[in-house]
């Protein structure tokens, strides 16, 4: 009986560990991902050399902020509407947007198919939080 208890305990610890490690993103990996997939359009400040100008700069950080705050950037019509309606890039909205931009916002100018792997998404989120 004691042995079963121990085995169960070990299994639980392993499960808990596996679950937490698959959801907590790695900012370093996220930065690499962003350098490859986002930086041709966005700039991220000193951390990534490549500085895209097609999209709004994300240098000042974006997680938890109001959408559409980059002055002089010409946002698309649906984005302008969302801004007017008070869209905030909290983690839930950002996750859904980045997973499939066109599904989250029909007609957005962000021509990016989306971050398909949950693991990459968690890493990118950790990186965006570090800005
Ligand atoms: C092909 C260019 C392109 C790529 C690649 C791209 N974006 Fe964008 N992004 C844009 C454009 C253009 C907009 C403005 C959208 C609009 O006005 O509809 C935008 C908007 C955004 C916004 C909203 C910003 C704001 O000011 O409210 C976020 C956040 C964002 N992108 C993050 C990302 C991340 C993270 C990646 C990589 C996983 C990425 N983008 C990849 C072009 C791109």
């Amino acid at each position: 009986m004691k042995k079963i208890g121990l085995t169960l305990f070990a299994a639980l610890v392993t499960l808990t560990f596996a679950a937490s490690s698959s959801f907590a993103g790695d900012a370093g990996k996220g930065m690499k991902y962003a350098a490859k997939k986002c930086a041709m359009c966005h700039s991220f400040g000193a951390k990534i050399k490549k500085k895209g100008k097609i999209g709004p700069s994300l240098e000042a950080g974006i997680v938890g902020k109001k959408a559409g705050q980059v002055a002089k950037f010409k946002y698309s019509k649906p984005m302008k509407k969302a801004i007017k309606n008070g869209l905030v890039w909290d983690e839930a909205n950002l996750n859904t947007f980045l997973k499939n931009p066109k599904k989250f916002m029909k007609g957005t100018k962000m021509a990016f198919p989306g971050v398909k792997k949950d693991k990459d998404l968690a890493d990118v989120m950790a990186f965006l939080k570090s800005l």
Side-chain angles (χ1 to χ4, degrees), residues 8-105:
L8 267 176
F9 178 72
L12 249 173
V13 169
T14 317
L15 262 176
T16 315
F17 185 72
S20 62
S21 63
S22 68
F23 286 112
D26 179 322
K29 285 189 188 146
M31 182 171 77
K32 280 192 194 136
Y33 184 92
K36 255 201 284 186
K37 304 267 190 179
C38 323
M40 69 280 259
C41 297
H42 293 282
S43 59
F44 292 92
K47 287 179 181 165
I48 297 178
K49 271 197 198 133
K50 199 163 30 172
K51 294 193 189 316
K53 298 226 160 54
I54 297 167
S57 166
L58 300 177
E59 199 170 336
I62 195 75
V63 185
K65 302 217 167 153
K66 272 200 216 157
Q69 298 306 299
V70 178
K72 288 189 195 150
F73 183 79
K74 279 192 79 154
Y75 290 98
S76 64
K77 250 195 181 159
M79 185 65 102
K80 279 189 191 148
K81 198 170 160 207
I83 295 164
K84 224 168 128 192
N85 290 335
L87 174 66
V88 171
W89 290 125
D90 56 21
E91 276 188 60
N93 283 335
L94 254 183
N95 261 316
T96 333
F97 176 60
L98 293 178
K99 217 170 179 153
N100 192 338
K102 295 224 146 55
K103 197 169 164 200
F104 180 84
M105 189 180 289

